[in-house]
Amino acid sequence: MTAMRNDKRREIQTYAIGLMLALAATGAAFALVHWPSFPARTTLGLVFGLALMQMIVHFQCFLHISLNRSSRDDLLLILFSTLIIIMMVAGTIVIMANLHSRMM
């Protein structure tokens, strides 16, 4: 009984930490864009860095995927799905750009 409570408490704590980190990353990215204090390229790099950090937070805290052997298969599945989605979006953009250039 106590082990179940401890597991549940640890899980809620992980979710709370993930929520705080995700909100902090989102707020920092919004602040960087809304109140520009760096050159555009630096701001873009910082926003991409915050996006990468937020992706890692989501993997660790919400999807419970880490680099352990037990969850490595889930990580490979997510990465492969992401690759397929990127290829589909990139292919669609190329086709739409080609059609746009032929129409104009």
Side-chain angles (χ1 to χ4, degrees):
M1 190 74 167
T2 332
M4 285 181 55
R5 282 187 178 177
N6 285 340
D7 288 343
K8 191 168 187 170
R9 181 179 297 157
R10 184 177 302 147
E11 188 174 357
I12 289 173
Q13 190 176 26
T14 302
Y15 281 127
I17 290 171
L19 177 66
M20 291 301 141
L21 288 174
L23 287 175
T26 302
F30 178 77
L32 281 172
V33 173
H34 194 344
W35 296 290
S37 55
F38 299 107
R41 287 182 176 236
T42 305
T43 302
L44 185 64
L46 288 172
V47 168
F48 275 126
L50 287 169
L52 183 65
M53 183 191 89
Q54 191 161 16
M55 191 172 74
I56 291 170
V57 165
H58 280 258
F59 279 149
Q60 289 277 335
C61 296
F62 300 124
L63 299 175
H64 304 289
I65 293 173
S66 64
L67 295 178
N68 295 338
R69 280 191 175 265
S70 61
S71 61
R72 203 173 281 171
D73 292 338
D74 294 337
L75 180 63
L76 287 176
L77 181 65
I78 289 174
L79 291 176
F80 182 72
S81 300
T82 304
L83 177 69
I84 295 298
I85 290 172
I86 288 172
M87 288 173 60
M88 288 174 50
V89 169
T92 302
I93 289 172
V94 166
I95 290 171
M96 296 302 282
N98 191 5
L99 286 175
H100 179 70
S101 67
R102 288 177 185 232
M103 297 288 281
M104 297 294 161

